[in-house]
């Protein structure tokens, strides 16, 4: 098993003359194993279970009635909504369907109608991330909004980003409590921009989602408990999604404009895999195999584990650092990275 610490990865440069040939070799190995083939049975079962949990949650909302135990249901429903989001992620990458139209229809049903997030906005953002992961200027996931992801960004930070940057390692997980609201806000805001190709359709689906969402909760619970339910649900949804996506790249190699990396090394060196088991694979929706997901975005989730073994072996042959660690260790590395990147702000730089 090839493993290297993030500090080693930061110092790694592409091998001269690597070009695209290394990725072509790896692709042939992956294709020969049939790992890019669609898995309709898997996705039928997965989508059925997610839908059953989604509908069952709202049934339980009325079955439980006027009780504070509803907050436990709110926590459980945050996990269900996150699973809907992970399924929409697979649809966007055409892991479920090979054709664009059914992927978009499924994606909008899952993201807009069931979860309350704009499929078009998120897909535009996520596509740009995949093209340039951890690139300081091109990856929207490391844009210096409230959190700074590099010391260069920290030196340029101002306003709220500079205030938060001083103590961002301590504030990172608390800020995730607001991520659910942030997704909803950005989804509606994006309807006025070019990222969403069908703004009327997506806007209508979002309105239907939130009308049904708020309406059902308010119909089942008195106002105080309804507000508490919504707060717990949205807060834990943000934490779940943040904890699933953050280990993928945060604290790994940050790419600057002057760096020249071929596709294979750009994806491998900026990504972190998280070791786990069948339970963790399900909880994270396969995102714990982030290296393989970035190399082969359309690969179905159940094929990623086998692809990881092949990719590790290939990277070892080529001398390419391939990093994987445990889940808790990944969070420690993220917080260490955030504390380090905030140093120029704390020192007045």
């Amino acid at each position: 098993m090839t493993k290297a610490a993030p500090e080693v990865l930061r110092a790694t440069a592409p091998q001269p003359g690597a070009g695209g040939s290394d990725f072509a070799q790896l692709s042939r190995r992956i294709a020969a194993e049939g790992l890019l083939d669609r898995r309709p049975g898997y996705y039928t079962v997965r989508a059925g279970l997610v839908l059953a949990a989604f509908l069952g949650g709202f049934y339980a909302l009325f079955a439980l009635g006027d009780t504070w135990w509803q907050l436990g249901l709110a926590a459980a429903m945050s996990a269900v909504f996150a699973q809907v989001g992970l399924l929409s992620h697979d649809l966007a990458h055409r892991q479920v369907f090979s054709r664009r139209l059914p992927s978009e229809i499924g994606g909008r049903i899952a993201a807009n109608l069931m979860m309350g997030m704009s499929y078009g906005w998120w897909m535009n953002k996520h596509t740009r991330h995949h093209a340039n992961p951890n690139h300081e200027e091109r990856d929207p996931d490391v844009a210096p909004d409230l959190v700074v992801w590099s010391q260069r960004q920290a030196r340029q930070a101002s306003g709220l980003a500079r205030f938060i940057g001083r103590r961002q390692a301590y504030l990172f997980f608390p800020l995730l409590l607001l991520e659910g609201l942030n997704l909803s806000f950005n989804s509606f805001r994006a309807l006025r921009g070019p990222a969403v190709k069908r703004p009327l359709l997506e806007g209508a689906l979002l309105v239907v989602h939130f009308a049904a969402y708020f309406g059902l909760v308010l119909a089942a619970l008195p106002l105080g408990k309804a507000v508490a339910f919504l707060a717990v649900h949205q807060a834990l949804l943000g934490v779940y999604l943040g904890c699933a996506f953050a280990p993928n790249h945060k604290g790994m190699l940050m790419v600057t404009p002057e760096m020249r990396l071929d596709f294979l090394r750009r994806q491998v060196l900026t990504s972190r895999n998280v070791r786990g088991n069948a339970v963790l694979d399900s909880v994270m929706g396969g995102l714990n195999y982030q290296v393989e997901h970035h190399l082969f975005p359309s690969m179905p989730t159940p094929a990623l584990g086998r692809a990881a073994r092949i990719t590790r072996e290939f990277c070892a042959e080529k001398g390419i650092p391939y990093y994987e660690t445990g889940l808790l260790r990944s969070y420690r590395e993220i917080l260490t990275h955030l504390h380090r990147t905030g140093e120029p702000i704390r020192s007045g730089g």
Side-chain angles (χ1 to χ4, degrees):
M1 181 182 298
T2 304
K3 180 176 179 179
E7 289 75 13
V8 175
L9 297 185
R10 291 191 187 91
T12 302
Q15 295 181 356
S21 60
D22 286 345
F23 178 67
Q25 294 174 34
L26 175 60
S27 295
R28 286 193 290 271
R29 295 189 190 184
I30 293 293
E33 294 288 330
L35 299 178
L36 297 174
D37 297 345
R38 295 292 177 271
R39 305 292 181 90
Y42 165 81
Y43 278 108
T44 298
V45 172
R46 179 176 167 186
L49 291 174
V50 170
L51 181 59
F54 183 84
L55 296 176
F58 283 104
Y59 171 81
L61 178 66
F62 286 91
L64 283 175
D66 184 0
T67 171
W68 286 107
W69 287 108
Q70 292 279 12
L71 299 186
L73 177 62
M77 285 296 287
S78 70
V80 174
F81 270 53
Q83 285 294 319
V84 172
L86 292 171
L87 184 59
S88 68
H89 166 272
D90 288 11
L91 285 160
H93 281 294
R94 299 194 189 180
Q95 296 176 20
V96 184
F97 305 108
S98 60
R99 294 188 296 120
R100 178 183 60 83
L101 184 58
S103 298
E104 289 185 350
I105 292 174
R108 289 191 177 100
I109 291 173
N112 292 66
L113 188 59
M114 296 177 65
M115 186 185 173
M117 179 184 74
S118 167
Y119 173 83
W121 163 73
W122 181 85
M123 186 174 179
N124 177 277
K125 175 176 175 287
H126 197 60
T127 299
R128 289 184 286 130
H129 158 71
H130 266 261
N132 292 282
N134 269 18
H135 192 291
E136 288 191 22
E137 297 181 356
R138 299 176 183 174
D139 182 358
D141 287 356
V142 292
D145 188 6
L146 294 180
V147 176
V148 293
W149 301 104
S150 71
Q151 292 194 350
R152 180 186 301 189
Q153 292 178 351
R155 295 187 186 96
Q156 299 171 352
S158 61
L160 187 58
R162 190 170 185 85
F163 174 78
I164 291 177
R166 293 178 179 275
R167 49 191 65 83
Q168 60 183 18
Y170 302 100
L171 295 175
F172 179 68
F173 285 108
L175 285 173
L176 291 182
L177 295 168
L178 301 175
E179 183 60 22
L181 296 177
N182 183 52
L183 292 175
S184 299
F185 173 77
N186 283 317
S187 293
F188 278 104
R189 185 175 66 172
L191 296 177
R192 297 177 297 175
V196 180
K197 303 303 181 184
R198 296 177 179 269
L200 293 179
L201 173 60
E202 293 214 19
L205 291 173
L206 287 173
V207 169
V208 170
H209 165 82
F210 283 104
Y213 175 56
F214 291 128
L216 290 172
V217 173
L218 289 169
L221 299 173
L223 182 60
K225 289 187 176 70
V227 171
F229 182 98
L230 294 170
V232 170
H233 179 248
Q234 288 297 313
L236 294 185
L237 173 61
V239 172
Y240 189 131
L241 291 173
C243 287
F245 279 89
N248 304 340
H249 303 281
K250 303 302 184 270
M252 297 299 291
L253 173 72
M254 289 292 292
V255 180
T256 56
E258 60 271 13
M259 296 176 66
R260 296 293 180 266
L261 297 171
D262 70 336
F263 176 79
L264 178 66
R265 288 165 178 79
R266 183 167 69 248
Q267 303 299 341
V268 174
L269 300 182
T270 59
S271 301
R272 174 196 290 109
N273 273 19
V274 175
R275 288 190 300 268
N277 48 43
V279 174
L280 184 64
D281 292 356
S282 297
V283 169
M284 297 189 70
L287 294 180
N288 47 314
Y289 299 107
Q290 191 65 195
V291 172
E292 291 68 37
H293 171 59
H294 262 252
L295 290 172
F296 307 99
S298 64
M299 180 180 290
T301 296
L304 291 170
R306 171 61 180 155
R309 292 189 288 272
I310 295 173
T311 305
R312 276 197 304 266
E313 294 170 0
F314 183 83
C315 287
E317 294 172 13
K318 299 294 182 179
I320 302 172
Y322 177 106
Y323 188 62
E324 61 179 3
T325 188
L327 183 62
L328 294 181
R329 173 67 181 270
S330 74
Y331 295 141
R332 288 198 295 270
E333 291 172 358
I334 293 168
L335 297 179
T336 299
H337 172 75
L338 288 174
H339 185 72
R340 181 170 55 245
T341 56
E343 176 57 32
I345 300 176
R346 292 191 298 275
S347 62

